[in-house]
Amino acid sequence: MRKLFLLLMLSVSMALFPAMHAKADAEFSFEYDNDSKTATLTKVYYADGLDVTIPSTVTDEWSGETYTVTKIGKQVFRYYSPVSVTIPETVTVIEDEAFYECNKFTSISIPESVTSIGAGAFYNCI
């Protein structure tokens, strides 16, 4: 009886463990500029191996204000290597080392709105 119980618990644990820790979407952190109502993407989490779409707007959960995403900050994707990234037309700046060592890239979509790409923005990506 004890062996059956342990086997059942092991089966349930193995079935639940991936579901508890699996991430379907990347999570983002932003810095807000209240004067211009713009946002800079400052960090991405859980993007490893995912297709990531950066939002064009974001709402600050504290103030309820909506901001336009115009920059991808320094080393935003460091330690997380997505498979693909789609950047919205609202982004004009990709800062230094933004995609540092994103070596799992199969594609990235950079819109014509991007007028500035920082040093080493795509260092060791391929």
Side-chain angles (χ1 to χ4, degrees):
M1 183 71 162
R2 186 175 179 191
K3 285 184 180 181
L4 180 60
F5 177 74
L6 289 175
L7 184 59
L8 178 62
M9 291 305 292
L10 180 61
S11 297
V12 169
S13 296
M14 290 174 65
L16 291 178
F17 184 74
M20 291 184 338
H21 296 286
K23 284 285 187 184
D25 297 312
E27 293 180 12
F28 305 107
S29 290
F30 296 91
E31 182 177 286
Y32 304 110
D33 183 326
N34 289 322
D35 294 332
S36 65
K37 296 295 183 207
T38 60
T40 299
L41 177 60
T42 56
K43 192 65 184 163
V44 65
Y45 304 94
Y46 313 114
D48 204 42
L50 296 180
D51 297 318
V52 175
T53 299
I54 298 170
S56 59
T57 61
V58 63
T59 301
D60 180 6
E61 61 186 56
W62 299 105
S63 69
E65 295 283 335
T66 299
Y67 298 84
T68 302
V69 178
T70 59
K71 291 182 186 177
I72 299 173
K74 294 180 181 180
Q75 296 187 354
V76 168
F77 283 87
R78 188 169 193 166
Y79 304 117
Y80 292 105
S81 187
V83 173
S84 68
V85 175
T86 302
I87 301 170
E89 291 286 338
T90 57
V91 171
T92 58
V93 176
I94 299 173
E95 293 187 350
D96 298 349
E97 299 178 349
F99 295 95
Y100 188 88
E101 292 190 1
C102 287
N103 53 19
K104 293 181 184 175
F105 268 160
T106 58
S107 71
I108 184 165
S109 173
I110 303 173
E112 290 184 24
S113 60
V114 173
T115 58
S116 176
I117 297 177
F122 297 96
Y123 176 79
N124 203 23
C125 287
I126 297 179

